[in-house]
Coordinates of all heavy atoms in Angstrom, one line a residue:
M1 N 10.9 -16.4 8.3 CA 11.0 -17.8 8.2 C 10.7 -18.6 9.6 O 10.0 -19.5 9.6 CB 12.4 -18.3 7.7 CG 12.4 -19.7 7.3 SD 11.4 -20.4 6.0 CE 12.3 -19.6 4.6
A2 N 11.2 -18.0 10.6 CA 11.0 -18.6 12.0 C 9.6 -18.6 12.4 O 9.0 -19.5 13.0 CB 11.9 -17.9 13.0
V3 N 8.9 -17.6 11.9 CA 7.4 -17.4 12.2 C 6.7 -18.5 11.5 O 5.8 -19.1 12.0 CB 6.9 -16.0 11.8 CG1 5.4 -15.9 12.0 CG2 7.6 -14.9 12.6
I4 N 7.0 -18.7 10.3 CA 6.3 -19.7 9.5 C 6.6 -21.1 10.1 O 5.6 -21.8 10.2 CB 6.8 -19.7 8.0 CG1 6.4 -18.4 7.3 CG2 6.3 -20.9 7.2 CD1 7.0 -18.2 6.0
K5 N 7.8 -21.4 10.5 CA 8.1 -22.7 11.1 C 7.3 -22.9 12.4 O 6.7 -24.0 12.7 CB 9.6 -22.7 11.5 CG 10.5 -23.3 10.4 CD 12.0 -23.2 10.7 CE 12.1 -24.2 11.8 NZ 13.7 -24.3 12.1
T6 N 7.1 -21.9 13.2 CA 6.4 -21.9 14.5 C 4.9 -22.2 14.1 O 4.3 -23.0 14.8 CB 6.5 -20.5 15.2 OG1 7.9 -20.3 15.6 CG2 5.8 -20.6 16.5
I7 N 4.3 -21.5 13.1 CA 3.0 -21.6 12.8 C 2.7 -23.1 12.3 O 1.7 -23.8 12.8 CB 2.5 -20.7 11.7 CG1 2.5 -19.3 12.2 CG2 1.1 -21.0 11.1 CD1 2.4 -18.2 11.3
I8 N 3.6 -23.6 11.5 CA 3.5 -25.0 10.9 C 3.6 -26.0 12.2 O 2.8 -26.9 12.2 CB 4.5 -25.3 9.9 CG1 4.2 -24.4 8.6 CG2 4.4 -26.8 9.5 CD1 5.2 -24.4 7.6
A9 N 4.6 -25.8 13.1 CA 4.8 -26.6 14.2 C 3.5 -26.7 15.0 O 3.2 -27.8 15.6 CB 6.0 -26.3 15.0
E10 N 2.9 -25.6 15.3 CA 1.7 -25.5 16.0 C 0.6 -26.2 15.4 O -0.2 -26.9 16.0 CB 1.2 -24.0 16.4 CG 2.2 -23.2 17.2 CD 1.9 -21.7 17.4 OE1 1.0 -21.2 16.7 OE2 2.6 -21.1 18.2
N11 N 0.5 -26.2 14.1 CA -0.6 -26.8 13.4 C -0.3 -28.3 13.5 O -1.3 -29.0 13.7 CB -0.4 -26.5 11.8 CG -1.1 -25.1 11.5 OD1 -1.7 -24.5 12.3 ND2 -0.7 -24.5 10.4
V12 N 0.8 -28.7 13.4 CA 1.3 -30.1 13.6 C 0.7 -30.6 14.9 O 0.1 -31.7 15.0 CB 2.9 -30.4 13.4 CG1 3.1 -31.9 13.9 CG2 3.2 -30.2 12.0
Q13 N 1.0 -29.8 15.9 CA 0.6 -30.3 17.4 C -0.9 -30.3 17.5 O -1.3 -31.2 18.0 CB 1.2 -29.3 18.3 CG 1.1 -29.6 19.7 CD 1.7 -31.0 20.0 OE1 2.9 -31.2 19.6 NE2 1.1 -31.8 20.8
E14 N -1.6 -29.4 16.9 CA -3.0 -29.4 16.9 C -3.6 -30.7 16.3 O -4.5 -31.4 16.8 CB -3.7 -28.3 16.2 CG -3.5 -26.9 17.0 CD -4.1 -25.7 16.1 OE1 -4.9 -26.0 15.2 OE2 -3.6 -24.7 16.4
H15 N -3.1 -31.1 15.1 CA -3.5 -32.3 14.4 C -3.1 -33.6 15.2 O -3.9 -34.5 15.3 CB -2.9 -32.5 13.0 CG -3.4 -31.3 12.1 ND1 -4.6 -31.1 11.8 CD2 -2.7 -30.4 11.4 CE1 -4.9 -30.0 11.1 NE2 -3.6 -29.7 10.7
L16 N -1.9 -33.5 15.8 CA -1.6 -34.7 16.7 C -2.4 -34.9 17.9 O -2.8 -36.0 18.2 CB -0.1 -34.6 17.1 CG 1.0 -34.7 16.0 CD1 2.4 -34.4 16.6 CD2 1.0 -36.0 15.4
E17 N -2.8 -33.8 18.4 CA -3.6 -33.9 19.6 C -5.1 -34.3 19.2 O -5.7 -34.9 20.2 CB -3.9 -32.4 20.3 CG -2.6 -32.0 20.9 CD -2.6 -30.5 21.4 OE1 -3.6 -29.8 21.2 OE2 -1.6 -30.1 22.0
K18 N -5.5 -34.2 18.0 CA -6.8 -34.7 17.5 C -6.7 -36.0 16.8 O -7.6 -36.5 16.4 CB -7.4 -33.7 16.5 CG -7.7 -32.4 17.0 CD -8.1 -31.4 15.9 CE -8.3 -30.0 16.4 NZ -8.6 -29.1 15.3
S19 N -5.5 -36.6 16.8 CA -5.2 -37.9 16.3 C -5.5 -37.8 14.7 O -6.0 -38.8 14.1 CB -6.0 -39.0 17.0 OG -5.5 -39.1 18.2
D20 N -5.4 -36.6 14.2 CA -5.5 -36.4 12.7 C -4.3 -36.6 12.0 O -3.6 -35.7 11.6 CB -6.1 -35.1 12.4 CG -6.5 -35.0 11.0 OD1 -6.2 -35.8 10.1 OD2 -7.2 -33.9 10.7
W21 N -3.9 -38.0 11.9 CA -2.5 -38.3 11.4 C -2.2 -37.8 10.0 O -1.0 -37.4 9.8 CB -2.3 -39.9 11.5 CG -2.7 -40.3 12.9 CD1 -3.7 -41.4 13.2 CD2 -2.2 -40.0 14.2 NE1 -3.8 -41.6 14.5 CE2 -2.9 -40.7 15.1 CE3 -1.3 -39.1 14.6 CZ2 -2.6 -40.6 16.6 CZ3 -1.0 -39.0 16.0 CH2 -1.7 -39.8 16.9
N22 N -3.2 -38.0 9.1 CA -2.9 -37.5 7.8 C -2.7 -36.0 7.7 O -1.7 -35.6 7.0 CB -4.1 -37.9 6.9 CG -4.0 -39.4 6.5 OD1 -3.1 -40.0 6.3 ND2 -5.2 -40.0 6.6
A23 N -3.4 -35.2 8.3 CA -3.2 -33.8 8.4 C -1.9 -33.5 9.1 O -1.2 -32.6 8.6 CB -4.4 -33.1 9.1
A24 N -1.5 -34.1 10.0 CA -0.3 -34.0 10.8 C 0.9 -34.3 9.8 O 1.9 -33.5 9.8 CB -0.2 -34.8 12.1
I25 N 0.8 -35.3 9.1 CA 1.8 -35.7 8.2 C 2.0 -34.6 7.1 O 3.1 -34.2 6.8 CB 1.5 -37.0 7.5 CG1 1.8 -38.3 8.5 CG2 2.4 -37.3 6.2 CD1 1.2 -39.5 8.0
A26 N 0.9 -34.1 6.6 CA 1.0 -33.0 5.5 C 1.7 -31.9 6.1 O 2.5 -31.2 5.4 CB -0.5 -32.6 5.1
E27 N 1.4 -31.5 7.3 CA 2.0 -30.3 7.9 C 3.4 -30.6 8.2 O 4.4 -29.6 8.0 CB 1.3 -29.9 9.2 CG -0.1 -29.2 9.0 CD 0.0 -28.0 8.2 OE1 0.7 -27.1 8.5 OE2 -0.9 -27.8 7.3
M28 N 3.8 -31.7 8.6 CA 5.2 -32.2 8.9 C 6.0 -32.1 7.6 O 7.2 -31.8 7.5 CB 5.3 -33.5 9.5 CG 4.9 -33.4 11.0 SD 5.2 -34.9 12.0 CE 3.7 -35.8 11.6
E29 N 5.4 -32.4 6.5 CA 6.1 -32.4 5.2 C 6.4 -31.0 4.8 O 7.4 -30.7 4.3 CB 5.2 -33.0 4.0 CG 5.1 -34.6 4.2 CD 6.3 -35.4 3.9 OE1 7.4 -34.7 3.6 OE2 6.4 -36.5 3.9
K30 N 5.4 -30.0 5.2 CA 5.7 -28.6 4.9 C 6.9 -28.2 5.8 O 7.8 -27.4 5.4 CB 4.5 -27.8 5.2 CG 3.4 -28.0 4.3 CD 2.1 -27.2 4.8 CE 0.9 -27.4 4.1 NZ -0.3 -26.7 4.7
L31 N 6.8 -28.6 7.0 CA 8.0 -28.3 7.9 C 9.2 -28.8 7.5 O 10.3 -28.1 7.5 CB 7.6 -28.8 9.4 CG 8.4 -28.4 10.6 CD1 8.4 -26.8 10.6 CD2 7.9 -29.0 11.8
Y32 N 9.3 -30.0 7.0 CA 10.5 -30.6 6.6 C 11.0 -29.9 5.3 O 12.3 -29.7 5.1 CB 10.3 -32.1 6.3 CG 11.6 -32.8 5.8 CD1 12.5 -33.1 6.7 CD2 11.8 -33.1 4.5 CE1 13.7 -33.6 6.4 CE2 13.0 -33.7 4.1 CZ 14.0 -34.0 5.0 OH 15.1 -34.6 4.6
A33 N 10.1 -29.4 4.5 CA 10.6 -28.6 3.3 C 11.3 -27.3 3.7 O 12.3 -27.0 3.0 CB 9.4 -28.2 2.5
I34 N 11.0 -26.8 4.9 CA 11.8 -25.6 5.4 C 13.0 -26.0 6.3 O 14.0 -25.3 6.1 CB 10.8 -24.8 6.4 CG1 9.7 -24.3 5.5 CG2 11.5 -23.7 7.1 CD1 8.5 -23.8 6.4
D35 N 12.9 -27.1 7.0 CA 13.9 -27.5 7.9 C 14.2 -29.0 7.6 O 13.4 -29.8 8.2 CB 13.5 -27.2 9.3 CG 14.6 -27.6 10.3 OD1 15.7 -27.9 10.0 OD2 14.2 -27.4 11.7
R36 N 15.4 -29.4 7.1 CA 15.6 -30.8 6.9 C 16.1 -31.5 8.2 O 17.2 -32.0 8.2 CB 16.6 -31.0 5.7 CG 16.1 -30.7 4.4 CD 17.0 -30.8 3.3 NE 18.0 -32.0 3.4 CZ 17.7 -33.2 3.0 NH1 16.6 -33.5 2.3 NH2 18.6 -34.1 3.2
D37 N 15.3 -31.4 9.2 CA 15.6 -32.1 10.5 C 15.2 -33.5 10.4 O 14.0 -33.8 10.1 CB 14.9 -31.4 11.6 CG 15.1 -31.9 13.0 OD1 15.8 -32.9 13.1 OD2 14.8 -31.3 14.0
P38 N 16.1 -34.5 10.6 CA 15.7 -35.9 10.5 C 14.7 -36.3 11.6 O 13.9 -37.2 11.4 CB 17.1 -36.6 10.9 CG 18.2 -35.6 10.8 CD 17.5 -34.2 10.9
L39 N 14.6 -35.5 12.6 CA 13.6 -35.8 13.6 C 12.2 -35.6 13.1 O 11.2 -36.5 13.6 CB 13.8 -35.0 14.9 CG 13.0 -35.4 16.1 CD1 13.3 -36.8 16.4 CD2 13.4 -34.5 17.3
I40 N 12.0 -34.8 12.1 CA 10.7 -34.6 11.4 C 10.4 -35.9 10.7 O 9.2 -36.4 10.8 CB 10.8 -33.4 10.5 CG1 10.9 -32.1 11.3 CG2 9.4 -33.4 9.7 CD1 11.2 -30.9 10.5
R41 N 11.4 -36.4 10.1 CA 11.1 -37.8 9.4 C 10.7 -38.9 10.3 O 9.9 -39.7 10.1 CB 12.3 -38.2 8.6 CG 12.8 -37.3 7.6 CD 12.1 -36.9 6.3 NE 10.8 -37.6 5.9 CZ 10.0 -36.8 5.2 NH1 10.1 -35.7 4.7 NH2 9.0 -37.6 4.7
V42 N 11.4 -38.9 11.6 CA 11.0 -39.8 12.6 C 9.4 -39.7 12.9 O 8.8 -40.6 13.0 CB 11.9 -39.7 13.8 CG1 11.4 -40.6 14.9 CG2 13.3 -40.1 13.4
R43 N 9.1 -38.4 13.2 CA 7.7 -38.1 13.6 C 6.7 -38.6 12.5 O 5.6 -39.0 12.8 CB 7.6 -36.7 14.0 CG 8.4 -36.3 15.2 CD 8.1 -37.1 16.5 NE 8.9 -36.8 17.6 CZ 9.7 -37.7 18.0 NH1 9.6 -38.9 17.7 NH2 10.5 -37.4 19.0
I44 N 7.1 -38.3 11.3 CA 6.2 -38.7 10.1 C 6.1 -40.3 10.2 O 5.0 -40.8 10.0 CB 6.8 -38.3 8.8 CG1 6.7 -36.7 8.7 CG2 6.1 -38.9 7.7 CD1 7.4 -36.1 7.5
G45 N 7.2 -41.0 10.4 CA 7.1 -42.4 10.6 C 6.2 -42.8 11.6 O 5.5 -43.8 11.5
D46 N 6.3 -42.1 12.8 CA 5.4 -42.5 13.9 C 3.9 -42.3 13.5 O 3.2 -43.2 13.8 CB 5.8 -41.5 15.2 CG 7.1 -41.8 15.7 OD1 7.8 -42.8 15.4 OD2 7.6 -40.9 16.4
A47 N 3.7 -41.2 12.8 CA 2.3 -41.0 12.4 C 1.9 -42.1 11.4 O 0.7 -42.5 11.5 CB 2.2 -39.6 11.8
R48 N 2.8 -42.5 10.6 CA 2.4 -43.5 9.6 C 2.2 -44.8 10.3 O 1.3 -45.6 9.9 CB 3.5 -43.7 8.6 CG 3.6 -42.5 7.6 CD 4.4 -42.7 6.4 NE 4.7 -41.6 5.6 CZ 3.8 -40.9 4.8 NH1 2.6 -41.2 4.8 NH2 4.2 -39.8 4.2
L49 N 2.8 -45.1 11.4 CA 2.5 -46.3 12.2 C 1.2 -46.2 12.9 O 0.5 -47.2 12.8 CB 3.7 -46.5 13.3 CG 4.8 -47.4 13.0 CD1 5.6 -47.4 14.3 CD2 4.5 -48.6 12.5
K50 N 0.7 -45.0 13.2 CA -0.6 -44.8 13.9 C -1.6 -45.1 12.8 O -2.7 -45.6 13.1 CB -0.8 -43.4 14.3 CG 0.2 -43.0 15.5 CD -0.3 -43.6 16.7 CE 0.5 -43.0 17.9 NZ 0.3 -43.7 19.1
L51 N -1.3 -44.9 11.5 CA -2.2 -45.2 10.5 C -2.2 -46.6 9.9 O -2.7 -47.0 9.0 CB -1.9 -44.3 9.3 CG -2.3 -42.8 9.5 CD1 -1.7 -42.0 8.4 CD2 -3.8 -42.6 9.5
D52 N -1.3 -47.5 10.7 CA -1.1 -48.9 10.4 C -0.5 -49.0 9.0 O -0.9 -49.9 8.2 CB -2.4 -49.6 10.4 CG -2.2 -51.0 10.6 OD1 -1.1 -51.5 11.2 OD2 -3.0 -52.0 10.3
R53 N 0.4 -48.1 8.6 CA 1.2 -48.2 7.4 C 2.6 -48.5 7.7 O 3.4 -47.5 7.7 CB 1.0 -46.8 6.6 CG -0.5 -46.8 6.1 CD -1.0 -45.4 5.6 NE 0.1 -44.8 4.7 CZ 0.0 -43.5 4.5 NH1 -0.9 -42.7 5.0 NH2 0.9 -43.0 3.7
K54 N 2.9 -49.7 8.1 CA 4.2 -50.0 8.7 C 5.3 -49.9 7.6 O 6.3 -49.4 8.0 CB 4.2 -51.5 9.2 CG 5.4 -51.9 9.9 CD 5.2 -53.2 10.6 CE 5.6 -54.4 9.9 NZ 5.6 -55.7 10.7
R55 N 5.0 -50.3 6.4 CA 6.1 -50.1 5.4 C 6.4 -48.8 5.1 O 7.7 -48.3 4.9 CB 5.7 -50.8 4.0 CG 5.6 -52.4 4.1 CD 5.2 -52.8 2.7 NE 4.7 -54.2 2.8 CZ 5.5 -55.2 2.4 NH1 6.7 -54.9 1.5 NH2 5.1 -56.5 2.4
A56 N 5.5 -47.9 5.1 CA 5.7 -46.4 4.8 C 6.5 -45.9 6.0 O 7.4 -45.0 6.0 CB 4.4 -45.6 4.7
A57 N 6.1 -46.3 7.2 CA 6.9 -45.9 8.5 C 8.3 -46.3 8.4 O 9.2 -45.6 8.7 CB 6.1 -46.5 9.7
I58 N 8.5 -47.5 8.0 CA 10.0 -48.0 7.9 C 10.7 -47.2 6.9 O 11.9 -46.9 7.3 CB 9.9 -49.5 7.6 CG1 9.3 -50.4 8.8 CG2 11.2 -50.0 7.0 CD1 9.2 -51.8 8.4
R59 N 10.1 -46.9 5.8 CA 10.8 -46.0 4.9 C 11.2 -44.7 5.4 O 12.3 -44.2 5.3 CB 9.9 -45.7 3.5 CG 9.9 -46.9 2.7 CD 9.3 -46.5 1.3 NE 8.0 -46.0 1.5 CZ 6.9 -46.8 1.4 NH1 6.9 -48.1 1.3 NH2 5.7 -46.3 1.4
E60 N 10.3 -44.1 6.3 CA 10.6 -42.9 7.0 C 11.7 -43.0 8.0 O 12.6 -42.2 8.1 CB 9.4 -42.3 7.7 CG 8.3 -41.9 6.8 CD 8.6 -40.7 5.8 OE1 9.6 -40.0 6.1 OE2 7.9 -40.5 4.8
Y61 N 11.7 -44.1 8.8 CA 12.7 -44.3 9.7 C 14.1 -44.6 9.0 O 15.2 -44.0 9.6 CB 12.4 -45.5 10.6 CG 11.2 -45.3 11.4 CD1 10.2 -46.3 11.7 CD2 10.9 -44.2 12.1 CE1 9.1 -46.2 12.5 CE2 9.8 -43.9 12.8 CZ 8.9 -45.0 13.0 OH 7.7 -44.7 13.9
L62 N 14.1 -45.2 7.9 CA 15.3 -45.4 7.2 C 15.8 -44.1 6.7 O 17.1 -43.8 6.6 CB 15.1 -46.4 6.0 CG 14.9 -47.9 6.4 CD1 14.6 -48.7 5.2 CD2 16.2 -48.4 7.2
R63 N 15.0 -43.3 6.2 CA 15.3 -42.0 5.7 C 15.9 -41.1 6.8 O 16.9 -40.5 6.6 CB 14.1 -41.3 5.0 CG 14.4 -40.0 4.2 CD 13.1 -39.7 3.5 NE 13.3 -38.4 2.9 CZ 12.4 -37.6 2.4 NH1 11.1 -38.2 2.4 NH2 12.6 -36.5 1.7
A64 N 15.3 -41.2 7.9 CA 15.8 -40.4 9.0 C 17.2 -40.9 9.5 O 18.1 -40.1 9.7 CB 14.8 -40.6 10.3
A65 N 17.3 -42.2 9.4 CA 18.7 -42.8 9.7 C 19.8 -42.2 8.8 O 20.9 -41.8 9.3 CB 18.6 -44.3 9.7
E66 N 19.4 -42.2 7.7 CA 20.4 -41.6 6.6 C 20.7 -40.3 6.9 O 21.9 -39.9 6.7 CB 20.0 -41.9 5.3 CG 19.8 -43.3 4.7 CD 21.2 -44.0 4.8 OE1 22.2 -43.5 4.4 OE2 21.2 -45.2 5.3
L67 N 19.7 -39.5 7.2 CA 19.9 -38.1 7.5 C 20.8 -37.8 8.8 O 21.6 -37.1 8.8 CB 18.5 -37.3 7.6 CG 17.7 -37.2 6.3 CD1 16.4 -36.7 6.6 CD2 18.4 -36.2 5.4
F68 N 20.5 -38.7 9.8 CA 21.2 -38.6 11.0 C 22.7 -38.8 10.7 O 23.6 -38.2 11.1 CB 20.6 -39.5 12.1 CG 19.5 -39.0 12.8 CD1 18.3 -39.8 13.0 CD2 19.5 -37.7 13.5 CE1 17.2 -39.3 13.7 CE2 18.5 -37.3 14.2 CZ 17.3 -38.0 14.3
A69 N 22.9 -40.0 9.9 CA 24.3 -40.4 9.6 C 25.0 -39.3 8.8 O 26.2 -38.9 9.2 CB 24.3 -41.6 8.8
E70 N 24.3 -38.6 7.9 CA 25.0 -37.5 7.2 C 25.3 -36.4 8.0 O 26.3 -35.8 7.7 CB 24.0 -36.9 6.1 CG 23.7 -37.9 4.9 CD 22.6 -37.3 4.0 OE1 22.2 -36.1 4.2 OE2 22.1 -38.2 3.2
K71 N 24.6 -36.1 9.0 CA 24.9 -35.0 10.0 C 25.9 -35.5 11.0 O 26.3 -34.6 11.9 CB 23.6 -34.6 10.6 CG 22.7 -33.8 9.5 CD 21.3 -33.3 10.3 CE 20.5 -32.7 9.3 NZ 20.7 -31.3 9.1
G72 N 26.3 -36.7 11.1 CA 27.3 -37.2 11.9 C 26.7 -37.7 13.2 O 27.5 -38.0 14.2
F73 N 25.4 -37.9 13.4 CA 24.8 -38.5 14.6 C 24.7 -40.0 14.4 O 23.6 -40.4 14.2 CB 23.4 -37.7 14.8 CG 23.5 -36.3 15.0 CD1 23.0 -35.4 14.1 CD2 24.1 -35.8 16.2 CE1 23.1 -34.0 14.3 CE2 24.2 -34.4 16.4 CZ 23.7 -33.5 15.5
V74 N 25.8 -40.7 14.5 CA 25.8 -42.1 14.4 C 24.9 -42.9 15.3 O 24.1 -43.7 14.9 CB 27.2 -42.6 14.5 CG1 27.3 -44.2 14.3 CG2 28.1 -41.8 13.4
A75 N 24.9 -42.5 16.6 CA 24.1 -43.2 17.6 C 22.6 -43.1 17.2 O 21.8 -44.0 17.4 CB 24.4 -42.6 19.0
K76 N 22.1 -41.8 16.8 CA 20.7 -41.7 16.4 C 20.4 -42.5 15.2 O 19.3 -43.0 15.0 CB 20.5 -40.2 16.2 CG 20.5 -39.4 17.5 CD 20.1 -37.9 17.4 CE 20.1 -37.3 18.7 NZ 19.7 -35.9 18.5
A77 N 21.3 -42.5 14.2 CA 21.2 -43.4 13.0 C 21.0 -44.8 13.4 O 20.0 -45.4 12.9 CB 22.3 -43.1 12.1
L78 N 21.9 -45.3 14.3 CA 21.9 -46.7 14.7 C 20.5 -47.0 15.4 O 19.9 -48.1 15.3 CB 22.9 -47.0 15.6 CG 24.3 -47.1 14.9 CD1 25.4 -47.2 15.9 CD2 24.3 -48.2 13.8
A79 N 20.0 -46.0 16.2 CA 18.6 -46.2 16.9 C 17.5 -46.4 15.9 O 16.6 -47.2 16.1 CB 18.4 -45.0 17.7
Q80 N 17.7 -45.6 14.8 CA 16.6 -45.7 13.8 C 16.6 -47.1 13.1 O 15.7 -47.8 12.8 CB 16.7 -44.6 12.8 CG 16.3 -43.3 13.3 CD 14.9 -43.2 13.9 OE1 14.0 -43.6 13.3 NE2 15.0 -42.9 15.3
Y81 N 17.8 -47.6 12.8 CA 18.0 -48.8 12.1 C 17.5 -50.0 13.2 O 16.9 -50.9 12.7 CB 19.5 -49.2 11.7 CG 20.0 -48.3 10.6 CD1 21.1 -47.5 10.8 CD2 19.3 -48.2 9.4 CE1 21.6 -46.7 9.7 CE2 19.8 -47.3 8.4 CZ 20.9 -46.6 8.7 OH 21.4 -45.9 7.5
S82 N 17.8 -49.7 14.3 CA 17.3 -50.7 15.4 C 15.8 -50.8 15.4 O 15.2 -51.8 15.4 CB 17.9 -50.3 16.7 OG 17.5 -51.2 17.7
L83 N 15.2 -49.6 15.3 CA 13.7 -49.4 15.3 C 13.2 -50.3 14.1 O 12.2 -51.0 14.2 CB 13.2 -48.1 15.3 CG 11.8 -47.7 15.2 CD1 11.1 -48.6 16.2 CD2 11.6 -46.3 15.2
V84 N 13.8 -50.0 12.9 CA 13.4 -50.7 11.7 C 13.4 -52.2 12.0 O 12.5 -52.9 11.5 CB 14.3 -50.3 10.5 CG1 14.0 -51.1 9.3 CG2 13.9 -48.8 10.2
L85 N 14.6 -52.7 12.5 CA 14.7 -54.0 12.8 C 13.7 -54.7 13.8 O 13.2 -55.8 13.6 CB 16.1 -54.6 13.0 CG 17.1 -54.3 12.0 CD1 18.5 -54.6 12.5 CD2 16.9 -55.3 10.9
R86 N 13.2 -53.8 14.7 CA 12.1 -54.2 15.5 C 10.8 -54.5 14.8 O 10.0 -55.3 15.1 CB 12.0 -53.3 16.8 CG 12.9 -53.6 17.8 CD 12.6 -52.8 19.0 NE 12.6 -51.3 18.6 CZ 13.3 -50.4 19.1 NH1 13.9 -50.5 20.3 NH2 13.2 -49.1 18.7
L87 N 10.6 -53.6 13.9 CA 9.3 -53.6 13.1 C 9.5 -54.7 12.0 O 8.4 -55.2 11.6 CB 9.1 -52.2 12.4 CG 8.8 -51.1 13.4 CD1 8.7 -49.7 12.6 CD2 7.5 -51.3 14.1
D88 N 10.6 -54.9 11.5 CA 10.8 -55.9 10.4 C 12.2 -56.5 10.5 O 13.2 -56.0 9.9 CB 10.7 -55.1 9.0 CG 10.9 -56.1 7.8 OD1 11.0 -57.4 8.0 OD2 11.1 -55.5 6.7
A89 N 12.2 -57.6 11.1 CA 13.5 -58.3 11.5 C 14.2 -58.8 10.2 O 15.3 -58.9 10.3 CB 13.3 -59.4 12.5
S90 N 13.5 -58.8 9.1 CA 14.2 -59.3 7.9 C 14.7 -58.2 7.0 O 15.1 -58.5 5.9 CB 13.1 -60.2 7.1 OG 12.0 -59.3 6.6
N91 N 14.6 -56.9 7.5 CA 15.1 -55.7 6.7 C 16.5 -55.9 6.5 O 17.4 -55.6 7.5 CB 14.7 -54.5 7.4 CG 15.0 -53.3 6.4 OD1 16.0 -53.0 6.1 ND2 13.8 -52.7 5.9
T92 N 17.0 -56.4 5.4 CA 18.5 -56.5 5.1 C 19.2 -55.2 5.0 O 20.4 -55.1 5.4 CB 18.7 -57.3 3.8 OG1 18.0 -56.7 2.8 CG2 18.2 -58.7 3.9
Y93 N 18.6 -54.2 4.5 CA 19.3 -52.9 4.5 C 19.6 -52.4 5.8 O 20.8 -52.0 6.2 CB 18.4 -51.9 3.8 CG 19.1 -50.5 3.6 CD1 20.0 -50.3 2.6 CD2 18.9 -49.4 4.5 CE1 20.7 -49.1 2.5 CE2 19.5 -48.2 4.3 CZ 20.5 -48.0 3.3 OH 21.1 -46.9 3.1
A94 N 18.7 -52.4 6.7 CA 19.0 -52.0 8.1 C 20.0 -52.8 8.8 O 20.9 -52.4 9.6 CB 17.7 -51.9 8.9
R95 N 19.9 -54.1 8.6 CA 20.8 -55.1 9.2 C 22.3 -54.8 8.7 O 23.2 -54.8 9.5 CB 20.4 -56.6 8.8 CG 21.1 -57.6 9.6 CD 20.6 -58.9 9.4 NE 19.2 -59.1 9.8 CZ 18.7 -59.0 11.0 NH1 19.5 -58.9 12.1 NH2 17.4 -59.2 11.3
K96 N 22.3 -54.5 7.4 CA 23.7 -54.3 6.8 C 24.2 -53.0 7.5 O 25.4 -52.9 7.8 CB 23.4 -54.1 5.3 CG 24.8 -53.7 4.6 CD 24.4 -53.5 3.2 CE 25.6 -52.6 2.5 NZ 25.2 -52.2 1.1
K97 N 23.4 -52.0 7.5 CA 23.8 -50.7 8.1 C 24.2 -50.8 9.5 O 25.2 -50.2 10.0 CB 22.8 -49.7 8.0 CG 22.6 -49.1 6.5 CD 23.8 -48.4 6.1 CE 23.5 -47.6 4.9 NZ 24.7 -46.8 4.5
M98 N 23.6 -51.7 10.3 CA 24.0 -51.9 11.7 C 25.3 -52.6 11.8 O 26.0 -52.5 12.9 CB 22.9 -52.8 12.4 CG 21.5 -52.0 12.6 SD 21.6 -50.9 13.9 CE 21.7 -51.9 15.4
A99 N 25.6 -53.4 10.8 CA 26.9 -54.2 10.9 C 28.1 -53.3 10.5 O 29.2 -53.7 10.8 CB 26.7 -55.4 9.9
L100 N 27.9 -52.2 9.9 CA 29.0 -51.4 9.5 C 29.7 -50.7 10.7 O 29.3 -50.5 11.7 CB 28.6 -50.3 8.6 CG 28.0 -50.8 7.2 CD1 27.6 -49.7 6.3 CD2 29.1 -51.6 6.4

């Protein structure tokens, strides 16, 4: 399993270096299927921003925030909600979560 994760991570890096955001996202989705690391969702959000898909990026950042919170990483979750609010100040879900 570790070998597969390494290969996929290398593929992700190659696609990122080429600015091939769609291919990078596809590989990151494979990586996430193996390892539910919230940071992968953050990176997918970053790639979606590069593709000028702000709403999709926001969904990824919110998903990452929820995963961070589930794992007990409250500060990281709050950072993701803050990022969402920088991208969309009217996002009521993120605003509500920040207030808790």
